Amino acid sequence: MKREKDNSVISDFKDILQSEVYVDLERLRMLSRHGIPDHLRSETWKYLLGVQQADRSRELSLGKARTEEYEQMDKMDNETAKRIRGEVIRYQRRVPELEGKEKTESFVNIILAYLNANRDIEYSPGLVSLCAPFIYVMKTECDAYYCFEKLLQDIDEHDHNMNIKEQLAHFMTLFRYSLPELSSYFEDEEVDLNEWATSWLQYLLSREMRFENLVRLWDCYFSIHDPFQFHPFVCLSILLSAREELEDLEQSEIRTMLLRLPALNMDMIIADAYDLRHKSIERQMSEDEM
């Protein structure tokens, strides 16, 4: 039964992706929200992120232009390259899917190309974990670069509208309302919100989440119109799923768990996040009516 369902899903994806004239993005988003088959993720993510256009008439010429542009980009900075390699090696120790010299050099090339094209942005180790899923999923370094660039542009736009301090304050309010007992327990144990929530919010859980869970989560994020507004509720959902275990731990153990999350049932996490968001909207509406 599961195999039949999987085959049906793959067939639905192929119907959309193999369209000769126009890719139906809304239908693709609806499907992708529930997870994308591994072998179709590369092509699907490019459409969802807007790297590949839905109108297929200029697909070849645009693809060629992207490749030529990426080849000409400045990827030199020995000092920063050394820092990137150091962080990549640390990252690869816990994510064996991305081991290998070739992948290491892809990290260096992509991040340097981005930094050299955006001189106002400084290197930070978090760029490695944000880049990693694209290196893993995409078939070419060029495609990985443009998907990485698009995600960082979207993050920058969100941060411009709501800086990290405002995001933290908003998340803390949601945490206290949605999970009051766990929030109080964290306060009793003197668990510092900044130590873990800043990274959770800033890097879309790319530093803390198991790699296979992260890729599944990003299937959902790239397929919805408001991933950054939805993200805090995913964070809450993770805390909800781990609440009982967290309440048995002490401060240092809590911190360790929050910075290296266990394997998660992502379908359940995402479903509970939608439920938490719905309850939050209902609560806000009832407060506005008072």
Side-chain angles (χ1 to χ4, degrees):
M1 189 72 184
K2 184 179 183 298
R3 181 176 289 180
E4 285 179 18
K5 187 183 175 187
D6 289 347
N7 287 339
S8 172
V9 168
I10 289 168
S11 176
D12 288 342
F13 269 100
K14 284 184 174 178
D15 281 348
I16 299 168
L17 294 170
Q18 291 173 359
S19 168
E20 290 182 15
V21 181
Y22 189 86
V23 171
D24 187 338
L25 288 181
E26 280 310 307
R27 195 166 155 231
L28 190 62
R29 286 190 182 102
M30 289 286 289
L31 274 178
S32 301
R33 208 167 295 180
H34 305 288
I36 302 167
D38 290 344
H39 66 291
L40 299 175
R41 187 172 280 115
S42 172
E43 196 174 355
T44 303
W45 275 15
K46 283 188 283 182
Y47 283 114
L48 296 178
L49 285 163
V51 169
Q52 198 120 295
Q53 300 302 308
D55 180 354
R56 302 196 68 172
S57 61
R58 295 179 59 216
E59 190 172 292
L60 287 174
S61 60
L62 288 171
K64 188 182 177 188
R66 277 199 309 272
T67 301
E68 289 173 357
E69 183 184 22
Y70 180 68
E71 283 174 356
Q72 291 169 14
M73 292 183 83
D74 178 11
K75 306 177 188 74
M76 295 298 294
D77 182 334
N78 291 337
E79 192 56 42
T80 306
K82 192 176 175 182
R83 293 168 68 194
I84 295 168
R85 282 193 188 92
E87 182 60 28
V88 169
I89 288 165
R90 283 187 287 275
Y91 184 84
Q92 287 169 329
R93 287 191 194 118
R94 63 183 181 86
V95 185
E97 294 95 330
L98 285 162
E99 284 180 345
K101 190 175 180 183
E102 190 178 323
K103 285 190 169 62
T104 302
E105 290 313 303
S106 288
F107 274 106
V108 174
N109 289 339
I110 289 166
I111 294 171
L112 281 181
Y114 179 77
L115 292 173
N116 288 336
N118 298 272
R119 298 284 181 179
D120 56 324
I121 296 172
E122 291 185 11
Y123 168 72
S124 72
L127 292 175
V128 169
S129 55
L130 285 172
C131 184
F134 300 117
I135 289 176
Y136 178 72
V137 167
M138 294 298 147
K139 293 182 172 68
T140 70
E141 186 177 294
C142 173
D143 284 341
Y145 171 79
Y146 284 103
C147 290
F148 174 65
E149 179 189 54
K150 182 62 169 64
L151 176 63
L152 291 188
Q153 287 170 350
D154 291 346
I155 289 173
D156 186 56
E157 185 180 335
H158 175 63
D159 289 349
H160 183 73
N161 294 328
M162 188 180 195
N163 67 43
I164 191 60
K165 284 187 178 178
E166 292 168 327
Q167 291 175 45
L168 275 169
H170 174 61
F171 178 69
M172 180 53 111
T173 302
L174 290 172
F175 186 22
R176 284 176 176 153
Y177 268 111
S178 304
L179 298 167
E181 290 178 4
L182 185 61
S183 174
S184 295
Y185 183 69
F186 276 18
E187 286 177 16
D188 292 343
E189 286 292 318
E190 298 180 349
V191 176
D192 184 357
L193 184 82
N194 290 300
E195 279 194 338
W196 56 276
T198 303
S199 177
W200 279 30
L201 295 170
Q202 223 170 4
Y203 299 111
L204 300 178
L205 292 161
S206 63
R207 304 182 82 177
E208 297 80 16
M209 195 174 256
R210 297 283 181 94
F211 195 70
E212 64 276 14
N213 289 163
L214 178 68
V215 171
R216 169 65 187 93
L217 177 63
W218 284 14
D219 285 348
C220 173
Y221 282 179
F222 298 160
S223 66
I224 61 179
H225 294 288
D226 58 350
F228 301 108
Q229 287 72 33
F230 184 54
H231 181 62
F233 297 99
V234 170
C235 296
L236 289 177
S237 180
I238 290 168
L239 293 171
L240 175 65
S241 73
R243 179 173 55 185
E244 289 183 12
E245 190 174 347
L246 287 166
E247 288 175 350
D248 285 337
L249 302 176
E250 295 177 357
Q251 184 201 56
S252 62
E253 296 168 320
I254 292 170
R255 183 178 177 278
T256 299
M257 183 174 175
L258 294 176
L259 294 177
R260 284 289 177 271
L261 291 169
L264 300 164
N265 178 338
M266 290 313 298
D267 289 339
M268 187 181 78
I269 294 291
I270 292 166
D272 286 346
Y274 276 110
D275 187 47
L276 285 161
R277 181 164 72 167
H278 180 69
K279 287 176 181 174
S280 175
I281 292 168
E282 282 188 333
R283 186 174 60 244
Q284 190 65 52
M285 287 172 67
S286 65
E287 286 174 1
D288 291 345
E289 288 170 4
M290 288 171 69

